[in-house]
Amino acid sequence: MKKKYNYNLMTGGILTVTMLLLILISVFYVPYDPDKMDSTAKLAKASFHHIMGCDQFGRDIFSRVMKGCGNTFFVAAGTVWMGTVFGILIGSFTGYYGGILDEVLMRINDTIFAFPSILLALVFVSLLGGGKYQIILALGIAFIPSFARIVRSEFIRCRELDYVKSARLSGAGSLRIMFVHILPNTRNVLFSAILIGFNNAVLAESGMSFLGIGVQPPEASLGRMMSEAQTYLLTRPSMALFPGLMILWMVLGFALLGEGISERQAG
Amino acid sequence: MLLEVKNLQIAFHDHSLPETVVHDFNLTMEAGEIVGIVGESGSGKSMSAMAIAGLLSRHDMTKEGKCLFQGVDTLRCSRQELRKLQGNEMGIIFQEPMTSLNPLKKIGWQVEESLRLHTDLGKTERKERALQALAEAELPNPERVYSLYPHNLSGGMRQRVMIAAAMIARPKLLIADEPTTSLDVTIQAQIVKLLQKFSREKGMAVLFISHDLSLVRQLCGRVLVMQKGYVVEQGDMETVFEHPVHPYTQKLLAAIPKIPGQGGV
Amino acid sequence: MKYAVRKVLTMGVTILVVSFLVFLAFHIIPGDPALAKLGTQATPEQLEQLREEMGLNDPLPVRFVRWLVAFVQGDMGTSYSYQMSVTQMIGEKIPITLTMGMMAFGMMVGLSVVLGIYTAKHNGGVIDRVICVLNQLLMAVPPFFSGILISWGLGLMLHLFVPGSYVSYTKDRGGFFYYLLFPAAAIALPKCAMAAKLLRSSLIEELKKDYIRTAFSRGNTVNGVLYAHALKNALMPVITFWGMALADMLAGSIIVEQVFGIPGMGRILLTSISHRDYPVVQAIIVLIAVWVIVINTLVDLIYKLVDPRIS
Amino acid sequence: MQENVLEVRHVNGFYKEQSVQNGIRRLFGREGQRVQVLHDISFFIGKGEVVGLVGESGCGKTTLSKAILGFLKDREGEICHQTKHPQMVFQDPYSALNPVKKIGWIMEEPLKNYTKLDRQARREKVLEMLQNVGLEADMADRYPRQLSGGQRQRVNIGTALMLEPGLLIADEPVSALDVTIQAQIMELFQELQQKLQLSVLFISHDLRVVYQMCDRVLIMKEGRIVEEGTVEEVYRHPKHEYTKLLLASAGIS
């Protein structure tokens, strides 16, 4: 059989794997201490020593980018984890049982869902203060509704299917039906939702850090690096370019991966 | 001769080995004749009908042979020429009345569509013809149905709407692709009677595709039996049903539960 | 009609509930407005007196109703940091942000319809593929990055505008719109890419449906099928997306205003958050909430207009 | 007179509309608006008897089967059955099998929940049942999507028979299949029915199929049973107008 090449899956896979590798390496090794200021290397151009150059304090951009990717990834993963776990819990119970509880919860859900997640996060941050964990909490809460909604609609679709009735006749209890019979059937939808959610989290986190209310200095963050680089846009555009490209890389990788996977599932 | 299909062959090329789904299909139809094609799913009966209707055009597919409808080869002619036939000289109804109508458009708009595309009748004339067609399709209260949406109607009524829309331009040939499969038995019988009436009164030929042998028996004068892309047997209704020659036809007929004393199918 | 009334009523209730929640959230947080107003040197008596004046000793529901009535009448309270009316502070900024948002929305809708239809129609062609790759890239660009790229490329390199500067509406109308064009584009581009992609796949999906075959069988042209039959159906999910994008654009504008140095709502919101100027933050959040809820109701109403199946 | 496996006496069934208004009414302890879909249904099924239930879509066939299985919450009247776990064979062979589970896993499920058999014993029972329904043993390790419609329906029948149920409800078990496959499944069904002395409620819209499969037949219209009797009686001497119409529409009579 002639095999159709799945470019999306391949490109996405390569981008994601290299990104994950880079993050993994950054945990154990970075070329320079990302926080060490070197007054001799202020705004140094890209060279053999500093492959992406240095910032206005003489910190190595490449090292900071590596650490920043790690931080962004950490926040995004935490956010998505929180959204998924609570989303599955809320979505499965409301979807399976329906009724007045479902009605009320979904109203609330819809209202939260309608808000731009970054705005919700802003409210939380203005109440809780900034920082890595606050951001995870804030974005995580903002992300729960979208996951709950997806899981719920899948459960509503599945609970009417004959195999669920058949499982009930086979003596399976409600919890067993929900988590052993139905939940595995939502995996395709859930998986692509996780990838999309991950990307939204990356964009939201970097946006908040760009505004100065995300990951707090001195910890490196891609968004903050870009907002600092704006001042030097005329003389050193590459200072903004590299962190920007890293965000692009991360988001593109996951987006293509998701695209490729759904392509494979469809064909 | 109204329709002449010669050596129709349809093959797909989406895999490395081309897969032929219809082999050497031949059929002639005279005006006013009702011909049935029976077969199980995957036998190629719908595929052949869609090719005749000019509705098969995929780039990974080849069609060979000839299909002359009033002298025009519907396999090869341009979309321009085809459009003049479709909905005008040739009406088509499909299996799923639930999804075959545009959910966002009013029934009247959809029934009139053929007139709007093929004639330059005015608005009031079109409406008149549409109401007449709806009434002929035995829909109760055509005025009301005219301004309803598909979701307001039951499956049987939607199929009547489809028939009204196909009949409005007075076609010479009606291709009916499993038109009754998703309907209840009593509605099925009504739809079949309706098609019979149209054929008799307007001299319209009907190509009736179905997997239900008893329906084909009630409606058609001639029948083709298809299996895995081949026409394995064809001929008079009586001959084929009473004295089937091909083993597959025999098997098909044997598969139908018999009711002693009530005759066969 | 009944549907519309129900939707509008639901909208009213939702707005009430949401504004109460926001009100509640900003009253749980530590900090005493009276203290914030008078400073730490104030004596306890002075504080108590001011609290009484400001009505801070009344029960929560009473305070909420009072705040709500004042809010509806246009009095959104007084800023802690600037000691001036919040209404006045925000009032000047709303038109700026709103203009930018609507420009971005217009760009998004126009471009996505054109691109979506074109790519769906020429599905698999060279231009379709190029646009799809471009779309994929654009979707991955965060708005501040696209903003920075636009500032750098169009501003610093091509000198089409001066990054960081802003032209007031009262001084130069043309300049006002011209200078908002670039930030609007920065907001619109990623959303536009998503909308175009959504419309493309929605159209392609729609063209596979049974009623499309019916339309062809009546002798429609390809364009006839596309515009008279498929497009309206395919637009349904896209309308939802547009609605969400319109709500999202306010959030996007907060960031993009920062990139382009535009003194809009976003900038006030950020400074107020960092100064813990709660009356301002609260007012802006409630306004945005109302905006979002109204848009959602509008989307529902448009749906009802387009789709007869909804009841 | 044989003992009856199932007795249904004067059952009325209702369906509650799931609407916001009804939800609010329930919140205040009021009854929601309900639609009656079953009207005074009475019948019985004797041991080893196959009873056909014929009617068109929307006549309440499915609701009746739900009521018998205990899924219909809102009903009046008595339904007594002698059996512990009545089972059901569904119409659509595609949606009745969980797409992410292997055939063996699906067939094992009743044993897992209702018996204390260990893994080995369960496996043996599954393989035995596969053989009974005419499937190869290696089917146990396949996924539903790898099976044809007829094979899936065999699996469904097998799953329903795992617990040796006293009562089986077959909801249009052959109507989604091609004629020749239909004949095979009907043959299998009859064979198993005789071998295991199953009591079956056989729901179908196809009068010919019902004639071949059933001993007695119930004709249902708009939630009521309009005619009842042995198959021969009803088919040869239909009394109710609706039965006559049905028979005429199907080309019988």
Side-chain angles (χ1 to χ4, degrees):
Chain A
M1 223 175 89
K2 196 166 68 184
K3 216 174 169 185
K4 236 173 148 184
Y5 238 70
N6 194 334
Y7 290 103
N8 282 338
L9 191 66
M10 205 173 62
T11 328
I14 292 173
L15 287 177
T16 308
V17 167
T18 45
M19 172 54 73
L20 290 178
L21 263 178
L22 193 74
I23 291 169
L24 196 68
I25 293 171
S26 78
V27 176
F28 303 105
Y29 169 78
V30 278
Y32 292 86
D33 180 351
D35 301 329
K36 204 185 117 211
M37 302 182 193
D38 179 358
S39 53
T40 58
K42 273 183 189 171
L43 293 173
K45 289 223 152 117
S47 66
F48 194 67
H49 295 289
H50 301 280
I51 53 172
M52 290 182 184
C54 288
D55 67 4
Q56 72 276 27
F57 299 117
R59 297 178 292 193
D60 180 51
I61 291 183
F62 182 57
S63 307
R64 287 182 68 73
V65 160
M66 278 172 81
K67 282 286 184 197
C69 282
N71 279 333
T72 302
F73 184 83
F74 177 76
V75 171
T79 304
V80 169
W81 180 83
M82 209 172 135
T84 318
V85 169
F86 287 97
I88 286 178
L89 276 176
I90 296 173
S92 53
F93 277 94
T94 52
Y96 187 74
Y97 287 107
I100 197 83
L101 177 79
D102 171 47
E103 196 70 47
V104 171
L105 267 177
M106 277 305 128
R107 264 302 125 73
I108 299 174
N109 221 352
D110 282 350
T111 317
I112 303 181
F113 184 64
F115 278 90
S117 54
I118 194 164
L119 201 76
L120 265 178
L122 275 178
V123 178
F124 281 109
V125 167
S126 73
L127 298 174
L128 303 170
K132 210 149 109 178
Y133 297 97
Q134 282 88 335
I135 293 266
I136 292 182
L137 188 67
L139 283 178
I141 291 173
F143 273 46
I144 293 171
S146 63
F147 283 101
R149 196 182 239 212
I150 289 164
V151 173
R152 173 178 175 269
S153 65
E154 278 295 289
F155 265 70
I156 287 178
R157 185 179 65 82
C158 289
R159 78 171 177 204
E160 298 302 328
L161 290 178
D162 287 343
Y163 71 77
V164 172
K165 289 182 200 149
S166 162
R168 209 178 312 166
L169 287 174
S170 304
S174 292
L175 284 180
R176 186 174 168 84
I177 290 179
M178 278 160 70
F179 295 110
V180 178
H181 288 266
I182 301 183
L183 191 61
N185 279 290
T186 65
R187 63 185 177 191
N188 288 352
V189 183
L190 205 57
F191 193 65
S192 63
I194 285 175
L195 287 175
I196 293 169
F198 186 88
N199 279 349
N200 286 336
V202 168
L203 292 176
E205 185 280 328
S206 55
M208 293 180 75
S209 297
F210 180 84
L211 296 176
I213 48 178
V215 176
Q216 293 302 311
E219 267 195 275
S221 111
L222 297 174
R224 183 172 279 274
M225 288 172 77
M226 292 188 67
S227 91
E228 283 165 1
Q230 253 197 294
T231 329
Y232 306 96
L233 204 54
L234 190 59
T235 47
R236 287 287 316 283
S238 65
M239 232 172 105
L241 190 67
F242 287 122
L245 285 179
M246 284 321 249
I247 298 174
L248 194 69
W249 183 346
M250 203 184 287
V251 174
L252 196 62
F254 278 94
L256 289 176
L257 201 61
E259 195 94 343
I261 287 170
S262 54
E263 219 171 89
R264 211 168 79 167
Q265 281 160 358
Chain B
M1 209 177 308
L2 182 71
L3 175 75
E4 186 183 13
V5 187
K6 262 191 191 160
N7 309 92
L8 173 66
Q9 186 149 329
I10 304 171
F12 280 100
H13 297 272
D14 50 352
H15 301 303
S16 56
L17 276 176
E19 188 190 356
T20 311
V21 291
V22 174
H23 301 265
D24 197 24
F25 180 96
N26 290 293
L27 170 70
T28 52
M29 277 178 83
E30 303 293 342
E33 201 182 11
I34 305 185
V35 176
I37 305 180
V38 290
E40 295 184 291
S41 48
S43 62
K45 56 187 191 306
S46 285
M47 199 66 80
S48 316
M50 288 303 112
I52 294 168
L55 287 174
L56 265 192
S57 54
R58 277 173 48 172
H59 54 85
D60 54 358
M61 197 191 66
T62 51
K63 295 170 286 188
E64 280 161 43
K66 243 186 211 157
C67 172
L68 295 175
F69 176 71
Q70 297 190 324
V72 181
D73 188 352
T74 58
L75 298 181
R76 313 243 173 280
C77 71
S78 66
R79 175 98 200 110
Q80 213 69 14
E81 279 175 282
L82 209 53
R83 277 184 47 218
K84 285 183 201 138
L85 300 177
Q86 290 174 334
N88 197 15
E89 304 283 308
M90 184 196 274
I92 301 142
I93 53 178
F94 301 98
Q95 175 173 1
E96 280 296 332
M98 290 304 188
T99 53
S100 291
L101 288 165
N102 189 336
L104 302 187
K105 300 285 186 188
K106 284 190 179 166
I107 298 294
W109 189 90
Q110 304 195 47
V111 171
E112 282 175 8
E113 189 165 30
S114 298
L115 293 184
R116 206 167 41 243
L117 292 166
H118 298 293
T119 66
D120 28 65
L121 293 178
K123 215 174 174 183
T124 44
E125 285 163 305
R126 282 206 306 261
K127 181 166 182 185
E128 220 168 88
R129 284 277 294 271
L131 290 177
Q132 192 193 340
L134 287 170
E136 278 177 356
E138 290 167 14
L139 275 152
N141 204 346
E143 276 283 352
R144 209 174 84 79
V145 171
Y146 185 87
S147 52
L148 286 177
Y149 288 97
H151 72 279
N152 301 119
L153 303 178
S154 68
M157 283 167 85
R158 288 190 214 191
Q159 200 58 290
R160 285 172 195 274
V161 168
M162 284 295 287
I163 292 174
M167 294 299 303
I168 195 166
R170 310 242 178 282
K172 302 209 170 52
L173 171 68
L174 182 75
I175 298 176
D177 183 13
E178 304 244 15
T180 61
T181 304
S182 55
L183 303 175
D184 275 328
V185 211
T186 48
I187 315 284
Q188 279 188 0
Q190 293 166 6
I191 298 283
V192 164
K193 283 212 185 82
L194 193 62
L195 291 179
Q196 251 165 347
K197 184 187 90 178
F198 278 129
S199 172
R200 204 174 43 237
E201 288 174 2
K202 309 201 190 301
M204 176 184 73
V206 179
L207 183 59
F208 187 82
I209 292 100
S210 180
H211 69 273
D212 189 331
L213 288 108
S214 57
L215 276 183
V216 170
R217 170 116 212 213
Q218 285 177 48
L219 179 67
C220 307
R222 214 144 50 82
V223 65
L224 281 75
V225 182
M226 285 188 81
Q227 183 200 17
K228 291 175 185 163
Y230 291 95
V231 176
V232 294
E233 185 157 0
Q234 62 172 310
D236 268 359
M237 187 57 65
E238 289 301 312
T239 328
V240 173
F241 275 64
E242 299 301 332
H243 311 287
V245 179
H246 195 273
Y248 180 71
T249 318
Q250 291 165 354
K251 193 175 152 197
L252 264 188
L253 286 166
I256 297 169
K258 295 288 172 312
I259 297 177
Q262 303 278 3
V265 180
Chain C
M1 213 43 228
K2 215 175 137 196
Y3 177 85
V5 172
R6 208 172 68 218
K7 279 288 161 196
V8 171
L9 279 180
T10 319
M11 177 182 88
V13 174
T14 319
I15 288 178
L16 266 183
V17 171
V18 169
S19 44
F20 181 70
L21 287 179
V22 175
F23 182 81
L24 196 67
F26 280 90
H27 276 262
I28 299 172
I29 46 166
D32 184 345
L35 192 69
K37 205 165 182 177
L38 290 177
T40 39
Q41 291 89 8
T43 62
E45 290 79 34
Q46 279 176 306
L47 274 176
E48 193 47 46
Q49 199 195 341
L50 186 66
R51 279 207 195 102
E52 197 60 47
E53 272 173 33
M54 289 169 77
L56 291 175
N57 293 334
D58 294 332
L60 194 70
V62 176
R63 290 194 341 235
F64 173 65
V65 171
R66 194 186 302 138
W67 170 79
L68 191 70
V69 170
F71 195 92
V72 172
Q73 287 169 346
D75 174 15
M76 304 183 189
T78 315
S79 158
Y80 294 167
S81 326
Y82 298 99
Q83 300 298 335
M84 67 190 276
S85 155
V86 176
T87 314
Q88 203 187 335
M89 271 173 75
I90 303 178
E92 301 165 1
K93 313 295 182 189
I94 288 177
I96 301 171
T97 302
L98 213 57
T99 313
M100 194 167 76
M102 292 323 275
M103 281 167 84
F105 183 69
M107 268 185 231
M108 177 191 72
V109 170
L111 262 177
S112 61
V113 166
V114 172
L115 286 181
I117 293 177
Y118 183 87
T119 49
K121 207 171 153 186
H122 301 90
N123 179 15
V126 180
I127 297 178
D128 170 45
R129 279 190 210 160
V130 171
I131 292 178
C132 280
V133 170
L134 267 179
N135 268 348
Q136 204 74 47
L137 266 175
L138 276 177
M139 275 188 281
V141 177
F144 54 89
F145 190 33
S146 59
I148 288 177
L149 286 179
I150 288 176
S151 303
W152 179 73
L154 302 183
L156 296 178
M157 293 297 113
L158 298 176
H159 303 290
L160 291 179
F161 71 107
V162 183
S165 55
Y166 161 77
V167 180
S168 161
Y169 179 74
T170 43
K171 275 189 196 141
D172 174 9
R173 256 175 223 207
F176 172 75
F177 286 114
Y178 182 71
Y179 264 82
L180 286 184
L181 199 64
F182 301 97
I187 304 174
L189 277 179
K191 298 277 175 210
C192 174
M194 286 181 219
K197 188 174 172 234
L198 184 65
L199 180 56
R200 174 181 180 269
S201 56
S202 171
L203 254 177
I204 290 174
E205 224 20 73
E206 212 57 46
L207 287 172
K208 287 180 192 154
K209 293 204 172 150
D210 284 353
Y211 73 87
I212 294 297
R213 194 175 53 175
T214 311
F216 273 118
S217 81
R218 293 189 191 134
N220 269 296
T221 56
V222 175
N223 277 334
V225 169
L226 196 64
Y227 293 108
H229 286 271
L231 188 58
K232 211 170 163 191
N233 283 284
L235 273 177
M236 302 298 284
V238 185
I239 289 173
T240 313
F241 178 84
W242 283 342
M244 278 171 64
L246 190 54
D248 230 33
M249 275 173 182
L250 278 191
S253 71
I254 297 172
I255 295 174
V256 170
E257 278 174 17
Q258 200 72 2
V259 177
F260 287 87
I262 289 162
M265 292 242 285
R267 181 169 288 186
I268 290 203
L269 181 62
L270 281 178
T271 31
S272 312
I273 286 177
S274 58
H275 294 163
R276 307 199 168 257
D277 193 346
Y278 291 128
V280 184
V281 179
Q282 191 181 339
I284 294 181
I285 299 285
V286 169
L287 280 180
I288 293 181
V290 170
W291 168 253
V292 168
I293 294 166
V294 168
I295 287 174
N296 279 322
T297 309
L298 275 180
V299 168
D300 281 347
L301 293 180
I302 291 173
Y303 249 83
K304 169 72 185 167
L305 272 184
V306 181
D307 192 339
R309 283 167 296 184
I310 293 170
S311 61
Chain D
M1 182 92 186
Q2 273 180 315
E3 77 174 297
N4 290 337
V5 175
L6 174 76
E7 279 190 32
V8 176
R9 292 191 206 101
H10 306 293
V11 165
N12 290 317
F14 303 90
Y15 169 76
K16 236 177 231 152
E17 268 179 80
Q18 288 284 345
S19 65
V20 184
Q21 282 93 331
N22 275 347
I24 293 168
R25 277 199 198 99
R26 260 203 305 287
L27 209 59
F28 292 104
R30 300 233 187 96
E31 276 290 303
Q33 275 180 342
R34 51 188 207 171
V35 185
Q36 187 164 7
V37 280
L38 297 178
H39 299 264
D40 194 27
I41 304 271
S42 300
F43 67 95
F44 66 93
I45 299 177
K47 180 140 184 56
E49 198 182 22
V50 182
V51 175
L53 178 61
V54 178
E56 295 185 288
S57 52
C59 74
K61 286 179 296 186
T62 309
T63 315
L64 182 56
S65 70
K66 270 190 189 169
I68 294 168
L69 293 171
F71 290 161
L72 190 70
K73 285 186 198 112
D74 194 10
R75 65 170 171 84
E76 295 158 0
E78 256 181 287
I79 294 176
C80 333
H81 41 76
Q82 310 289 313
T83 109
K84 264 188 301 185
H85 310 299
Q87 293 292 318
M88 186 156 172
V89 179
F90 297 91
Q91 168 174 15
D92 180 8
Y94 290 86
S95 80
L97 296 175
N98 194 334
V100 303
K101 304 288 184 193
K102 286 181 179 163
I103 299 302
W105 192 96
I106 295 171
M107 293 181 71
E108 229 181 3
E109 182 72 0
L111 300 177
K112 252 189 239 162
N113 292 318
Y114 281 133
T115 68
K116 293 199 165 62
L117 297 176
D118 64 5
R119 180 189 280 267
Q120 192 62 39
R122 290 200 305 253
R123 182 79 182 175
E124 267 165 34
K125 280 218 155 199
V126 167
L127 294 181
E128 194 188 325
M129 185 53 79
L130 277 173
Q131 201 181 1
N132 278 343
V133 295
L135 291 173
E136 301 288 321
D138 66 345
M139 286 288 174
D141 295 316
R142 299 223 189 136
Y143 285 99
R145 60 166 183 277
Q146 295 165 301
L147 272 60
S148 69
Q151 287 172 324
R152 284 164 191 244
Q153 209 55 315
R154 284 170 193 267
V155 171
N156 282 330
I157 293 170
T159 314
L161 296 181
M162 280 316 276
L163 290 170
E164 293 161 17
L167 174 66
L168 188 67
I169 297 177
D171 186 2
E172 308 251 9
V174 294
S175 40
L177 305 171
D178 271 328
V179 216
T180 47
I181 311 290
Q182 197 175 350
Q184 290 168 11
I185 298 290
M186 276 161 65
E187 202 175 306
L188 171 77
F189 210 93
Q190 273 180 318
E191 184 193 309
L192 289 169
Q193 193 268 330
Q194 268 148 28
K195 196 163 111 190
L196 304 170
Q197 275 301 298
L198 292 169
S199 315
V200 184
L201 179 66
F202 194 95
I203 303 174
S204 180
H205 67 272
D206 190 329
L207 287 151
R208 291 170 190 281
V209 170
V210 167
Y211 183 86
Q212 184 171 336
M213 300 295 295
C214 306
D215 305 319
R216 278 191 302 121
V217 64
L218 313 164
I219 309 283
M220 198 165 170
K221 190 199 180 195
E222 287 163 9
R224 291 182 176 82
I225 290 180
V226 296
E227 186 155 359
E228 181 183 359
T230 64
V231 173
E232 290 297 327
E233 247 171 55
V234 173
Y235 278 53
R236 295 198 191 283
H237 309 289
K239 292 190 189 75
H240 197 275
E241 281 308 309
Y242 182 66
T243 318
K244 287 178 191 162
L245 177 68
L246 274 181
L247 288 166
S249 302
I252 310 168
S253 78

